[in-house]
Amino acid sequence: MKTLCVMVFIAVVLFFQKATAQQIEVRGGNPVLSITTAVIGSEPTVVVNTTSTLRYRRQNRVTKITVQTSRPSQSFTLKALAQSVPLGTAAPEVTLTNGMPATDFVVNIPAGSNIRRTCTLRYTASATFAQGNSAEMGNDVHTVTYTLVRQ
């Protein structure tokens, strides 16, 4: 039985609409997801992290938030999902793949006052025995970018 340890660090690049006003930010630091266990005869156990949040301001036009990642030589699977979205609609869970185009994350954020809203970020890390492990393949360190744009 292989022991699998997947370390996924999430760093976030912020998007600023105006130089003086932060429009979107990730709170909670860089989560680390380590897959270390598996039931005999099964694939490694999936790990979920919900310690980070995404805080954004409502704009004067209908907007959306997109997500993308940068991770050359990606070995393992990382997914992201917006939960408890107070304003707008969460898109389906996104599988983050290196080089992917920006993908809808929260859509239909209505126009209005620029009140700040916060949703929970749910990251899910998974791997298969066929993908190897961190000791053999190295850790996957992702830079995830969230962008607030006009819809």
Side-chain angles (χ1 to χ4, degrees):
M1 179 175 160
K2 291 184 181 180
T3 300
L4 183 68
C5 180
V6 179
M7 303 294 279
V8 181
F9 297 93
I10 309 299
V12 179
V13 178
L14 301 178
F15 174 80
F16 295 85
Q17 182 179 8
K18 299 176 187 172
T20 58
Q22 194 171 35
Q23 304 300 312
I24 187 168
E25 64 182 309
V26 175
R27 294 180 165 199
N30 297 330
V32 176
L33 289 79
S34 300
I35 300 172
T36 58
T37 60
V39 175
I40 295 174
S42 298
E43 295 292 348
T45 304
V46 171
V47 175
V48 175
N49 182 297
T50 57
T51 61
S52 297
T53 59
L54 185 65
R55 188 172 185 193
Y56 55 98
R57 284 185 187 236
R58 188 174 184 175
Q59 304 296 299
N60 60 4
R61 63 182 73 92
V62 176
T63 55
K64 66 181 180 179
I65 297 170
T66 62
V67 63
Q68 65 188 117
T69 190
S70 173
R71 171 51 183 132
S73 303
Q74 182 174 348
S75 299
F76 311 109
T77 302
L78 179 64
K79 296 180 180 182
L81 176 68
Q83 293 184 311
S84 303
V85 176
L87 193 63
T89 305
E93 185 173 48
V94 177
T95 300
L96 300 172
T97 306
N98 182 56
M100 65 186 276
T103 303
D104 288 352
F105 194 65
V106 177
V107 298
N108 301 323
I109 302 169
S113 64
N114 67 354
I115 297 170
R116 293 178 192 254
R117 304 295 180 168
T118 302
C119 66
T120 300
L121 297 174
R122 176 186 163 158
Y123 295 107
T124 303
S126 62
T128 64
F129 282 119
Q131 290 173 314
N133 59 63
S134 291
E136 297 168 346
M137 307 301 294
N139 296 329
D140 275 4
V141 180
H142 288 259
T143 300
V144 177
T145 305
Y146 295 95
T147 308
L148 182 64
V149 295
R150 177 184 285 181
Q151 186 166 308

